Amino acid sequence: MAESVVNGVRLHHETVGSGPPLLLVAGLGSSSAAWAGAVPVLAERFSVTTVDNRGTGRSDVPPGPYAVDDMADDVAALVDHLGIGPVPVVGWSMGGSITQSLLVRHPATVSRAVLLSAFPSYTRVQDAWLEAGLALRRAGLDAVTVGVDSMPWVYTPRLLADHDAAMAAAELARKDPYPTSLAGFEAQAAGLRVYDSRPQLPQVGTPTLVLVGAEDVLTPVAQSAEIAALVPAARLQVLPRGGHAMLLEYPDDTLAAITAFLS
C-alpha cells in the first residue's frame, strides 16, 4: 500500500500482481475495497493498481463539491506519478464517468478503457435515487440499512429473493474499516449528478469496451448504448445476466469479458 499527493490531495493506492499495468477506478462512495473480489483474479495477468478516490477510503476528504473532471485529473496525475501510463483503465459506475473524463481530458493516459455499468449523464430517476440515498445518510441511518434500501437498484431478483444472502452482502458495510464519510459522499455526489460527457465523447479515439448487464436498472443498457454510439472506437457488450453490481453477483462472467478485451 502507498500514498501519493497529487493535485494537493493525498490519495491512497495499492498495487498487486505482476505483468502489464491495469488501473481500477471505483464508483460513488466506494473505495478500492469495492474491487476486493476482482483484484486476485486480475492480478494473475496484470499489475493491478486500485485507488481510493478523493473523499473515500484512506484518501483525503477535502471540501466539496468534487467535479468529475477534478477526480479524473487526480487519477491522471497519479498515473503520471507512478509512471505506468498509458494504462488500461476499468471504471465502474461513477468510475466510468471518471474514465470518460480521462478519455477526453487525458487521452495519453489511457491505452484501453472498460466502462462498466456506466452512464453519460444522470437521468431524473437516477437523480431521485441519489437524493433518497443522501436523505438516508443525512438522517444518520446505519450503513447496513442504507445498503439494503439500495439493493433493488444494484442486484438482481436472484440475489434479492435469498434474504440470508442479501443480508450477508449488506453486512459487509459494517466490516469496512475505512467507511466513506457523509462529507465525502456528498462531495462526490454533487459533481456526479451534473456531469455530462456526451458533447465530448465523439472526440475519443481510445479503444473502449462499454460493458453492462442486461438486468441493470440503475444504469440501464440504453445508457451504455448511448455511450457506445457516441465513441467512435467503442464496442458495446451486454451480458445476459447481471445488474449494476454484476461484478459482485456474476464475477466470472464480468471478469471474463474484461480480460478478453484487455488481452
Side-chain angles (χ1 to χ4, degrees), residues 69-147:
D69 287 344
D70 291 340
M71 291 186 280
D73 291 350
D74 290 347
V75 173
L78 180 63
V79 169
D80 183 64
H81 175 74
L82 297 177
I84 59 174
V87 62
V89 178
V90 181
W92 181 7
S93 193
M94 185 191 76
S97 299
I98 293 172
T99 303
Q100 289 173 74
S101 180
L102 280 172
L103 291 169
V104 172
R105 294 168 62 84
H106 305 279
T109 298
V110 187
S111 59
R112 297 173 78 81
V114 178
L115 304 178
L116 175 62
S117 302
F119 47 92
S121 64
Y122 252 27
T123 66
R124 291 177 63 190
V125 168
Q126 287 162 334
D127 198 60
W129 165 82
L130 178 58
E131 197 59 43
L134 285 166
L136 295 178
R137 288 170 172 82
R138 289 165 179 161
L141 296 183
D142 68 277
V144 173
T145 300
V146 174

Side-chain angles (χ1 to χ4, degrees), residues 210-215 221 224 236-241:
V210 187
L211 182 62
V212 65
E215 300 171 283
V221 172
S224 286
L236 174 65
Q237 184 174 358
V238 181
L239 297 183
R241 303 185 301 178

Side-chain angles (χ1 to χ4, degrees), residues 86-263:
V87 62
V89 178
V90 181
W92 181 7
S93 193
M94 185 191 76
S97 299
I98 293 172
T99 303
Q100 289 173 74
S101 180
L102 280 172
L103 291 169
V104 172
R105 294 168 62 84
H106 305 279
T109 298
V110 187
S111 59
R112 297 173 78 81
V114 178
L115 304 178
L116 175 62
S117 302
F119 47 92
S121 64
Y122 252 27
T123 66
R124 291 177 63 190
V125 168
Q126 287 162 334
D127 198 60
W129 165 82
L130 178 58
E131 197 59 43
L134 285 166
L136 295 178
R137 288 170 172 82
R138 289 165 179 161
L141 296 183
D142 68 277
V144 173
T145 300
V146 174
V148 169
D149 182 76
S150 193
M151 273 188 163
W153 287 98
V154 298
Y155 289 106
T156 71
R158 169 181 173 270
L159 177 75
L160 294 173
D162 184 340
H163 285 198
D164 289 338
M167 184 53 68
E171 286 285 351
L172 293 175
R174 207 186 303 279
K175 301 175 183 178
D176 185 355
Y178 306 103
T180 298
S181 65
L182 175 60
F185 189 93
E186 286 182 323
Q188 288 190 346
L192 179 63
R193 71 196 313 174
V194 298
Y195 181 66
D196 188 347
S197 65
R198 292 173 294 182
Q200 291 80 36
L201 288 181
Q203 72 190 56
V204 173
T206 305
T208 300
L209 175 66
V210 187
L211 182 62
V212 65
E215 300 171 283
D216 195 334
V217 295
L218 182 58
T219 55
V221 172
Q223 288 191 299
S224 286
E226 186 177 16
I227 294 172
L230 289 170
V231 176
R235 174 169 65 87
L236 174 65
Q237 184 174 358
V238 181
L239 297 183
R241 303 185 301 178
H244 195 68
M246 63 182 183
L247 182 63
L248 304 180
E249 196 171 353
Y250 294 101
D252 294 344
D253 296 349
T254 308
L255 291 172
I258 291 171
T259 54
F261 175 74
L262 296 180
S263 299

